[in-house]
Amino acid sequence: MEERKVVLVTGGTRGIGKEIAKEFANMGYDVIINFVSDNTDIKALEEEFSKLGSKAIFIKADVSDFTSCEKMVKEGIEAFGRIDVLINNAGITKDNLLMRMKEDEFDKVIDINLKGVFNVTKQVIPYMLKKREGNIINLSSVVGICGNAGQCNYSASKAGIIGFTKSLAKEVASRNIRVNAVAPGFIATDMTEVLNDTIKEAINTQIPLKRMGEAKEVAKVVKFLASDDASYITGQVINIDGGMVM
Ligand code: NAP
């Protein structure tokens, strides 16, 4: 019998991360799902994932905390013995024009979005190197490519993820580990729900496909990048944005 593969998804209890975790569970992966919020209804999530026929464990850890990430990955390895795919998805926004942006708003976004990718990847990569096999997919954003007023902190973090992705891809390609990023545009999740209808309308007019994307539409591309169908793709950033950035 073929051994079951394992995926670790950071920030996987809602939004894009949850859709990614479900996509992998549906493929027969066992899933390690990370979250940080105390309000998370783990019991409901356990029931939801058990219906998908995969083993799922939920680990609370703040990705901006190096020691918590060390513990999380150790716990995941103890449970399943391996991590084949890492999805660095956890992320936040704290939007403000630079003139008004507080130091804490800048630091927090960089610490979670960018340092978090380092913290988790640093813990997972030794297992992949040892196995000489692995797949890492990082959630960047189109604003990391083209910028966005009010998001100096967020777009810097997402641009940083692109540099991280390309550098690591070059470091580990010889060990059969592929590292890619996706750059979503505007996807309907809690993150974009805070925007008012006027802003949403204005955004839609700038999108050639004239609508926001769905979390599932991101999850499908992530699934492709982790699959053998993408075996010759590494160090790339795939935009999933309805044509917003060409
Ligand atoms: P979301 O609905 O706001 O969910 C964010 C997820 O990140 C939650 O699961 C949250 O966990 C987790 N998270 C936040 N801080 C964390 C921390 N310190 N440690 C661990 N987990 C943490 O966001 P989303 O829209 O699904 O976005 C997912 C990723 O896609 C993010 O990296 C985001 O920047 C990127 N993205 C989103 C869009 C978009 O339009 N939605 C566009 C481009 C890129 P809890 O539930 O426990 O709080």
Side-chain angles (χ1 to χ4, degrees), residues 209-237:
L209 288 180
K210 297 285 175 229
R211 64 172 176 87
M212 291 178 96
E214 288 170 19
K216 202 166 192 59
E217 292 176 302
V218 178
K220 292 279 181 200
V221 179
V222 169
K223 172 185 167 179
F224 162 71
L225 284 172
S227 77
D228 286 345
D229 289 342
S231 54
Y232 203 47
I233 300 178
T234 196
Q236 303 305 306
V237 185

Side-chain angles (χ1 to χ4, degrees), residues 58-110:
F58 297 85
I59 304 178
K60 185 177 174 193
D62 180 347
V63 295
S64 68
D65 180 338
F66 190 79
T67 314
S68 297
C69 294
E70 194 176 14
K71 279 195 204 131
M72 168 175 72
V73 171
K74 225 172 144 202
E75 206 180 306
I77 291 285
E78 271 164 21
F80 293 128
R82 60 197 280 172
I83 295 173
D84 300 276
V85 179
L86 166 63
I87 313 292
N88 282 308
N89 166 81
I92 60 160
T93 52
K94 283 198 182 290
D95 298 352
N96 227 336
L97 294 171
L98 186 73
M99 280 294 285
R100 292 192 202 126
M101 190 176 286
K102 299 196 174 64
E103 186 183 6
D104 178 59
E105 288 171 331
F106 189 83
D107 288 347
K108 199 116 199 137
V109 168
I110 298 292

Side-chain angles (χ1 to χ4, degrees), residues 8 44 52 57-58 70 96 107 115 124 137 139 148 152 156-157 169 171 177 199 201 226 238:
L8 164 59
L52 304 177
I57 59 164
F58 297 85
E70 194 176 14
N96 227 336
D107 288 347
K115 176 99 188 299
V124 171
I137 294 143
L139 270 285
N148 195 22
C152 282
S157 74
E171 285 183 23
I177 301 167
I199 295 177
E201 272 309 307
I238 313 286

